[in-house]
Amino acid sequence: MLTLIGRRVLIAIPTLFLVSLFVFALQRALPGDPFLVIAGEERDPEVIARLREIYRMDDPIVVQFFAWLGQVVQGDFGRSLRTGEPVLGLILQKLPVTIQLATASILVAVTIGVPAGIIAARNKGTALDYSASALALSGLSIPNFWLGIMLILLVSVELKLLPASGYEPIFSNPIGAIERLIMPAFVLGGGLAAFLMRHTRAAMLEVLQSDYVRTARAKGLDEQAVVNRHALRNALIPIITLSTLLFGELLAGAVLTEQVFTIPGFGKLIVDAVFNRDYGVVQGVVLCTAIGFILMNLLADLLYILVNPRLRDG
């Protein structure tokens, strides 16, 4: 296992370098000058020149990149061009918000999607199978922002059951946090559940047609035991892969959902940074998102070993 972790770390280093290089270059290729906005209405050339000197924007782009990369290696992501705050501080403020929403959403997706996929696979060609597929298609087709607005109108405005928007830290106010998480988690998790359902169904259908499953049934094992002990464990690998990738995608920021429910997470941070040409914040958020994806891939590899004895023996 330590060898696997070491190998993943070695692969992660050039990956993160290339990600940082691309995002840095693409940021500089965008039209517009952020210092024209920062300098105010008068746009004094001396002020603009001084700002460019402070943030080293007059240096060649290669020098800028390696200077920024050197700071990142030391744990300094620079400062926001817009507010002057440390980028790392802004990320650490928003990251718990996004992790809380992403965790709740993936729990909803797994709770709905995996059982629905198993039921559909076990009842292939029946009304249950077609119903599950129809629900999955609905989940894929309904836009998140529309579903969020409809839920707010129905649950919050008409029925007055849950708060319409906002955010509460889970550890400081668990009940308030859960109340505010239910609707956005359902909006995000419902769409992800559709992906999980379709992949679970396909994986289970393939496994249920395998020789060892037919052998287990021929021995007279209970169907529930065949599904849970033999089929599901071997079908979990693609499900784990998809779940971890979806969680990494959620860490990148669910922009529309966060906007609808006024959740101050990564989505709002990255959108504001892009519109304001806040180079340091965009670079920091993208780099942290890449690290999140790498960690999710590592977690998936470790879970493979836990659920599949053959990989553990190897």
Side-chain angles (χ1 to χ4, degrees), residues 15-16 19-20 252 284-297:
T15 302
L16 291 175
V19 168
S20 62
V285 171
V286 172
L287 192 59
C288 287
T289 301
I291 293 172
F293 270 103
I294 290 170
L295 291 176
M296 288 300 102
N297 278 304

Side-chain angles (χ1 to χ4, degrees), residues 20 24 63-72 76-77 283-284 287:
S20 62
F24 192 92
V63 175
Q64 293 180 40
F65 171 70
F66 281 103
W68 171 75
L69 192 62
Q71 291 178 337
V72 169
D76 181 6
F77 284 70
Q283 291 159 190
L287 192 59

Side-chain angles (χ1 to χ4, degrees), residues 170-223:
I170 190 70
F171 296 110
S172 63
N173 185 6
I175 296 177
I178 292 172
E179 288 178 344
R180 285 168 171 77
L181 273 176
I182 290 175
M183 287 196 293
F186 180 78
V187 169
L188 286 174
L192 301 183
F195 284 104
L196 280 175
M197 178 268 163
R198 293 169 68 89
H199 281 76
T200 302
R201 179 182 180 276
M204 286 294 294
L205 284 176
E206 182 178 352
V207 171
L208 288 173
Q209 296 171 3
S210 302
D211 292 337
Y212 63 86
V213 172
R214 284 195 291 267
T215 302
R217 284 170 171 162
K219 290 180 179 179
L221 290 180
D222 180 70
E223 182 66 18

Side-chain angles (χ1 to χ4, degrees), residues 33-313:
D33 188 346
F35 297 107
L36 293 178
V37 179
I38 297 173
E41 295 182 0
E42 296 182 1
R43 297 182 178 178
D44 188 338
E46 293 184 2
V47 174
I48 295 175
R50 179 56 180 162
L51 288 170
R52 296 185 68 86
E53 181 183 349
I54 292 173
Y55 289 98
R56 304 186 64 174
M57 290 297 180
D58 290 329
D59 294 339
I61 189 170
V62 176
V63 175
Q64 293 180 40
F65 171 70
F66 281 103
W68 171 75
L69 192 62
Q71 291 178 337
V72 169
V73 172
Q74 299 174 38
D76 181 6
F77 284 70
R79 290 184 173 272
S80 167
L81 297 179
R82 190 73 175 164
T83 64
E85 297 179 68
V87 172
L88 186 58
L90 291 173
I91 291 173
L92 293 178
Q93 287 177 13
K94 304 298 183 182
L95 188 57
V97 180
T98 298
I99 289 177
Q100 184 171 301
L101 177 60
T103 303
S105 302
I106 206 69
L107 286 175
V108 170
V110 171
T111 303
I112 297 174
V114 174
I118 295 172
I119 292 171
R122 290 185 60 182
N123 299 274
K124 181 184 177 182
T126 66
L128 282 174
D129 184 16
Y130 294 131
S131 299
S133 298
L135 287 174
L137 182 60
S138 300
L140 293 171
S141 304
I142 297 175
N144 286 349
F145 70 90
W146 182 86
L147 180 59
I149 293 171
M150 292 300 105
L151 282 177
I152 290 173
L153 290 174
L154 176 62
V155 178
S156 300
V157 177
E158 295 295 332
L159 301 178
K160 302 185 186 304
L161 296 176
L162 294 171
S165 61
Y167 164 76
E168 288 281 352
I170 190 70
F171 296 110
S172 63
N173 185 6
I175 296 177
I178 292 172
E179 288 178 344
R180 285 168 171 77
L181 273 176
I182 290 175
M183 287 196 293
F186 180 78
V187 169
L188 286 174
L192 301 183
F195 284 104
L196 280 175
M197 178 268 163
R198 293 169 68 89
H199 281 76
T200 302
R201 179 182 180 276
M204 286 294 294
L205 284 176
E206 182 178 352
V207 171
L208 288 173
Q209 296 171 3
S210 302
D211 292 337
Y212 63 86
V213 172
R214 284 195 291 267
T215 302
R217 284 170 171 162
K219 290 180 179 179
L221 290 180
D222 180 70
E223 182 66 18
Q224 195 68 27
V226 171
V227 172
N228 293 337
R229 292 171 51 191
H230 296 277
L232 181 58
R233 175 170 290 187
N234 288 279
L236 277 178
I237 289 181
I239 298 171
I240 290 172
T241 302
L242 182 61
S243 299
T244 52
L245 290 177
L246 290 175
F247 188 79
E249 183 179 333
L250 288 172
L251 289 179
V255 178
L256 291 177
T257 303
E258 288 184 2
Q259 293 286 343
V260 169
F261 290 98
T262 322
I263 299 174
F266 257 16
K268 180 172 175 52
L269 180 63
I270 190 68
V271 168
D272 292 344
V274 169
F275 277 112
N276 293 324
R277 302 291 191 271
D278 201 339
Y279 296 154
V281 175
V282 174
Q283 291 159 190
V285 171
V286 172
L287 192 59
C288 287
T289 301
I291 293 172
F293 270 103
I294 290 170
L295 291 176
M296 288 300 102
N297 278 304
L298 176 60
L299 177 62
D301 291 336
L302 297 178
L303 290 175
Y304 294 161
I305 296 173
L306 292 176
V307 302
N308 195 321
R310 291 175 299 177
L311 294 177
R312 186 161 59 247
D313 295 339

